[in-house]
């Protein structure tokens, strides 16, 4: 019996600071600041930081942005998140940079449900 394919794909993401010229910035973001998300691992360049409040604003959207979406879904087109400080003009732009393949068995201890030939329960 062939081994069941348990693979899935996620987009790698780059979250970039968007700093409008001449506007007030209070979150500490600077032009060129970014962090990356590969699978569940978030990384940023050495010596660079991000406001925890800015990260908190974008964090709930990252898991959805990692997944393939329908072309008409707003998650496909909308990519900029406002700084949570209403007085700060910065935004965070989420960019899909590539796809990465993962194995279900290597990402969780919970097994896949048995592959059933009878799909009559799916209503």
């Amino acid at each position: 019996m062939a081994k069941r394919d348990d693979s899935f794909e996620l987009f790698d993401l780059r979250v970039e600071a968007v700093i409008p010229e001449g506007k007030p910035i209070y979150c500490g973001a600077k032009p060129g600041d970014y962090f990356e998300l590969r699978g569940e691992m978030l990384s940023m360049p050495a010596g660079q930081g991000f406001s925890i409040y800015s990260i908190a604003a974008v964090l709930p959207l990252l898991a959805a942005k990692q997944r393939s979406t329908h072309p008409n879904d707003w998650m496909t087109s909308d990519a900029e998140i406002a700084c949570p400080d209403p007085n700060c003009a910065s935004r965070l732009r989420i960019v899909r940079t590539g796809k990465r393949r993962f194995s279900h068995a290597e990402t969780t201890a919970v097994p896949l449900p048995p592959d059933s030939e009878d799909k009559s329960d799916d209503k």
Side-chain angles (χ1 to χ4, degrees):
M1 184 171 169
K3 182 180 176 192
R4 183 174 172 193
D5 180 14
D6 74 341
S7 66
F8 62 99
E9 291 183 331
L10 296 176
F11 284 100
D12 289 339
L13 303 176
R14 181 177 173 117
V15 180
E16 305 167 342
V18 177
I19 311 298
E21 194 172 321
K23 300 286 185 173
I25 304 300
Y26 299 106
C27 64
K30 295 173 185 58
D33 284 355
Y34 70 93
F35 64 85
E36 294 180 322
L37 183 62
R38 293 182 194 98
E40 63 185 39
M41 301 306 295
L42 187 144
S43 63
M44 62 184 68
Q48 183 184 292
F50 261 90
S51 160
I52 62 168
Y53 306 108
S54 294
I55 291 175
V58 75
L59 199 58
L61 302 172
L62 297 180
K65 206 66 166 162
Q66 284 185 301
R67 283 150 175 83
S68 294
T69 49
H70 188 279
N72 297 340
D73 188 334
W74 69 271
M75 189 57 72
T76 303
S77 59
D78 296 21
E80 290 194 3
I81 312 311
C83 178
D85 181 338
N87 299 304
C88 183
S90 73
R91 296 181 309 281
L92 293 177
R93 179 179 296 137
I94 305 169
V95 179
R96 290 173 167 169
T97 60
K99 276 190 178 176
R100 188 176 302 270
R101 185 172 293 278
F102 296 90
S103 162
H104 181 275
E106 293 173 1
T107 57
T108 181
V110 178
L112 286 169
D115 190 20
S116 173
E117 293 299 321
D118 179 15
K119 303 289 184 188
S120 61
D121 293 338
D122 298 341
K123 294 186 172 117

